[in-house]
Amino acid sequence: MKCAALLLCVVLSLDSASSGHLGEKLLLFPKVSNTAYVQLTPLKPLSLSAFTLCMRISVDPHVLDAEGRETILFAYRTKDFDELNLWQEKGQLSFYMSSETGAFFPLKPLSTFRTNLCLTWESSLGLAAFWVDGRRSMLQEYRKNHRVQPGGVVILGQDPDSFVGNFDAKQSFVGEISDVNMWDFVLTERQIRAFNEKYWLGPIPNVLKWSVMEGDVKGEVLVVPENHL
């Protein structure tokens, strides 16, 4: 009981902070909301002809499995478009890039247990794949010769239908997210499998780097130090 009370005090004290350093912490989105989100600060503009995006993630299955529900996992929005959105929807993982047509992957749904999730895509052939705990899905061709445009915002927890606004609670994320990292190239299979290890020894993330990440926290989001878990 004393340990539980100490953890609760730590979490509640951090919940009042509106911005700060996210390295060695996780984000807990405890309930359905249209106000809770975190805006991340990239190392450089997201002007991308290729990328690898990785995160550690767990979800509330009762929310995820609600009939007709879509759950946003990652959102990058410019003033005009959803440049890059990751979803769990229709029992599948999916992603969209500046299009109403997405790429769907019939993979095992995310769960309450932490999953190491990565997405890779490159423009020249349009090849994309999800990686779940180091295992690659079948490749798909999507948005060949496309380029992700700069000038947007990276948001966790909500899907912005306008520039940092117009959120829908029925699409909100409920669960835990940490270790969000992004590279402007496609990592190798060996490198992605290394993401499963606690201490990353692969190429340094050069777009989003969780260990030095600054985040602007809005609404009821709990920022939890990993050493208290």
Side-chain angles (χ1 to χ4, degrees), residues 145-228:
N145 296 323
H146 177 69
R147 187 176 187 89
V148 177
Q149 297 300 309
V153 293
V154 178
I155 289 179
L156 301 179
Q158 300 288 343
D159 170 39
D161 289 331
S162 61
F163 196 65
V164 199
N166 197 16
F167 302 136
D168 183 347
K170 295 180 181 179
Q171 297 177 328
S172 63
F173 177 81
V174 181
E176 298 176 3
I177 302 180
S178 66
D179 298 301
V180 180
N181 292 288
M182 191 177 203
W183 298 256
D184 62 1
F185 54 91
V186 173
L187 296 181
T188 67
E189 179 178 0
R190 182 176 180 180
Q191 290 166 342
I192 289 177
R193 286 180 174 175
F195 182 67
N196 293 335
E197 304 298 329
K198 178 61 180 174
Y199 300 101
W200 172 247
L201 300 177
I204 296 173
N206 62 355
V207 181
L208 296 170
K209 185 179 180 183
W210 192 256
S211 63
V212 298
M213 186 74 71
E214 297 294 322
D216 189 10
V217 180
K218 302 292 187 181
E220 190 173 347
V221 183
L222 309 182
V223 184
V224 185
E226 288 197 340
N227 61 354
H228 286 280

Side-chain angles (χ1 to χ4, degrees), residues 55-70:
M55 64 188 75
R56 304 192 204 280
I57 191 167
S58 57
V59 300
D60 183 336
H62 299 293
V63 175
L64 188 72
D65 296 338
E67 184 176 356
R69 196 179 202 281
E70 304 168 342

Side-chain angles (χ1 to χ4, degrees), residues 3 6 9 13 17 38-39 42 44 83-84 94 106 108 123 133 147 153 155-156 171-172 186 193 203 226 228:
C3 292
L6 176 60
C9 290
S13 66
V38 178
Q39 182 174 329
K44 63 180 182 180
E83 285 288 332
L84 174 60
S94 64
K108 185 177 180 180
S123 178
D133 291 330
R147 187 176 187 89
V153 293
I155 289 179
L156 301 179
Q171 297 177 328
S172 63
V186 173
R193 286 180 174 175
E226 288 197 340
H228 286 280

Side-chain angles (χ1 to χ4, degrees), residues 92-97 101-107 119-131 136-145 186:
Q92 302 179 78
L93 290 172
S94 64
F95 79 106
Y96 297 73
M97 294 194 300
T101 301
F104 287 79
F105 294 75
L107 300 170
L119 171 66
T120 57
W121 173 83
E122 62 84 31
S123 178
S124 63
L125 296 176
L127 295 180
F130 274 99
W131 299 72
R136 179 176 67 78
S137 70
M138 187 182 79
L139 292 167
Q140 290 194 34
E141 182 182 334
Y142 179 67
R143 301 290 277 161
K144 183 178 179 180
N145 296 323
V186 173

